[in-house]
Amino acid sequence: MKKVLYPLALVSVSVLLSCKQTKNTSNEVAMNTVEVTQKKESKEELIDSVLVRKHLYTLASDEMEGRKPGTEGMEKATQYIENEYKRIGLKTFDTLTTYRQNFEYKGIKMSNIIGLLEGKSKKDEFVIVSAHHDHLGVKKDGEGDRIFNGANDDASGVTGVLSLAEYYAKKGNNERSILFVCFTAEEMGLVGSEYFGKGIDASKFVAGINLELIGKQPKTGPKTAWLTGFDKSDFGKIIQKNLEGSGYKLFPDPYPKFQLFLRSDNASLARLGVPSHTFSTTPIDIDADYHKVTDEAETLNMTVLTETVKAVARGTQSIIEGKDTPTRVKME
């Protein structure tokens, strides 16, 4: 009997050890899978909501004095953006020796702020990501709050530019070169973007991604945005294709009577044939804070702002990677 039971005992022990080893192997596989998944998720979560909030609240603070060109507050905002470009590791553009493209308009010294992330295989093809960092400054008289902080218009857009610069710099897969530009004097009539447009070879610019008023929920609901000039090129359709399955949707501009395609900095490039369009979320027809001193950071929806920046990153990915090229704009 013992001779029969002994081998059985060995078999039992062997089976138990085998099961334990299999279990350990399964655990190791599971742990490795979790680790890979976490790495993948962290790769996709390069747009930090905490940093988004920091950018917005800094740029829209009273210290910036409404960011009017030629003022001390505007200089502070410019320096903040420059320091972020440097921290991220952006290069200077073309013949510029700093991030500033300096010029003078009506006796006021101004600067567009330009940072370059060179492309891997298509360095001479440019995608521009832009917003305007100027606003209306401070009321000359009156009681109470006199500072036009311009949180939504357009500290939200500049926040998007800085967040996307960091995103693409960390991701490191941009085949095309990306220019991150904060235009000055948009509120004075697209002055900064027009100056920029006069000094470039527009044929090298394959797309323009302009961000403005992206901090409030649109009429179309959460996780949606709208694009100006949707029918001017197939840029919007490319974005829609890339957003499929993400839960985020892009719609054509719902306010055609306002002619917004021609009222933001994208217009300066669009007039040169560049498929340059503006992303926005704000219900501009009913927004009570537009060009008011009440346009404060506290009035914005941080979830809307962060999710919109993430959607822009995902939606434009195939253009950045050189897989899609939007059709040129034809102005009527």
Side-chain angles (χ1 to χ4, degrees):
M1 293 291 292
K2 288 182 180 179
K3 289 182 180 179
V4 175
L5 289 173
Y6 185 69
L8 286 174
L10 284 176
V11 170
S12 299
V13 171
S14 177
V15 169
L16 285 171
L17 288 173
S18 177
C19 288
K20 186 175 182 180
Q21 288 174 345
T22 303
K23 186 175 181 180
N24 288 339
T25 303
S26 299
N27 287 338
E28 288 175 5
V29 171
M31 289 175 66
N32 289 336
T33 302
V34 170
E35 186 178 353
V36 170
T37 302
Q38 287 176 340
K39 285 182 179 179
K40 183 178 180 182
E41 288 175 350
S42 63
K43 183 87 172 175
E44 294 173 349
E45 292 297 322
L46 297 176
I47 295 173
D48 183 2
S49 60
V50 174
L51 199 54
V52 167
R53 185 181 184 86
K54 173 181 175 288
H55 291 326
L56 176 71
Y57 274 74
T58 300
L59 291 165
S61 68
D62 285 352
E63 185 181 356
M64 302 301 174
E65 300 174 347
R67 307 187 307 278
K68 187 173 183 177
T71 65
E72 184 178 341
M74 183 57 151
E75 176 61 23
K76 290 179 181 178
T78 298
Q79 289 180 11
Y80 178 81
I81 296 167
E82 285 180 310
N83 289 337
E84 287 302 299
Y85 280 7
K86 184 177 181 180
R87 179 184 64 80
I88 293 167
L90 300 184
K91 296 182 178 181
T92 56
F93 173 58
D94 199 25
T95 60
L96 297 178
T97 56
T98 71
Y99 295 126
R100 300 193 189 203
Q101 182 185 46
N102 297 317
F103 64 99
E104 191 170 310
Y105 178 76
K106 292 186 176 181
I108 303 173
K109 293 181 179 179
M110 302 182 176
S111 302
N112 292 323
I113 316 169
I114 308 172
L116 170 67
L117 184 63
E118 283 191 338
K120 302 295 183 282
S121 62
K122 300 181 178 182
K123 291 185 179 182
D124 292 330
E125 294 183 12
F126 294 91
V127 176
I128 180 170
V129 179
S130 65
H132 69 90
H133 65 299
D134 68 301
H135 198 53
L136 303 176
V138 182
K139 281 185 178 181
K140 292 182 179 179
D141 49 33
E143 297 181 356
D145 186 5
R146 296 189 294 118
I147 300 175
F148 293 96
N149 297 85
N152 201 26
D153 185 18
D154 191 26
S156 67
V158 176
T159 294
V161 170
L162 295 176
S163 300
L164 289 168
E166 184 138 23
Y167 171 83
Y168 283 118
K170 288 182 177 179
K171 203 166 178 68
N173 66 342
N174 57 301
E175 296 302 320
R176 285 173 167 145
S177 292
I178 312 174
L179 278 186
F180 298 94
V181 185
C182 293
F183 290 120
T184 188
E186 188 265 5
E187 302 288 6
M188 298 173 71
L190 314 184
V191 174
S193 56
E194 285 188 0
Y195 182 85
F196 173 83
K198 291 176 182 178
I200 63 170
D201 179 354
S203 67
K204 293 183 177 181
F205 283 73
V206 299
I209 303 159
N210 192 55
L211 308 175
E212 185 155 18
L213 303 166
I214 58 172
K216 294 187 176 182
Q217 184 169 296
K219 291 180 178 180
T220 44
K223 289 197 172 185
T224 65
W226 45 271
L227 188 76
T228 64
F230 195 93
D231 60 343
K232 302 293 184 183
S233 77
D234 65 355
F235 178 91
K237 292 181 179 179
I238 292 173
I239 306 303
Q240 287 178 328
K241 177 193 68 175
N242 291 338
L243 288 176
E244 288 178 0
S246 70
Y248 200 103
K249 293 184 178 181
L250 181 70
F251 294 92
D253 175 9
Y255 310 106
K257 67 178 181 179
F258 293 147
Q259 296 186 324
L260 298 175
F261 183 66
L262 300 175
R263 290 173 55 186
S264 291
D265 286 314
N266 68 279
S268 297
L269 293 177
R271 289 190 176 97
L272 301 175
V274 180
S276 182
H277 303 259
T278 293
F279 285 84
S280 187
T281 63
T282 300
I284 193 67
D285 58 333
I286 59 172
D287 183 29
D289 303 311
Y290 179 68
H291 281 192
K292 303 281 182 64
V293 295
T294 53
D295 184 6
E296 304 265 9
E298 292 78 8
T299 67
L300 302 194
N301 186 320
M302 295 306 301
T303 299
V304 169
L305 176 53
T306 304
E307 290 300 320
T308 299
V309 175
K310 289 180 179 180
V312 172
R314 177 166 181 162
T316 59
Q317 192 68 49
S318 65
I319 299 173
I320 299 294
E321 292 177 353
K323 297 175 182 177
D324 284 321
T325 301
T327 54
R328 305 298 283 182
V329 164
K330 294 181 179 180
M331 302 294 285
E332 296 177 357

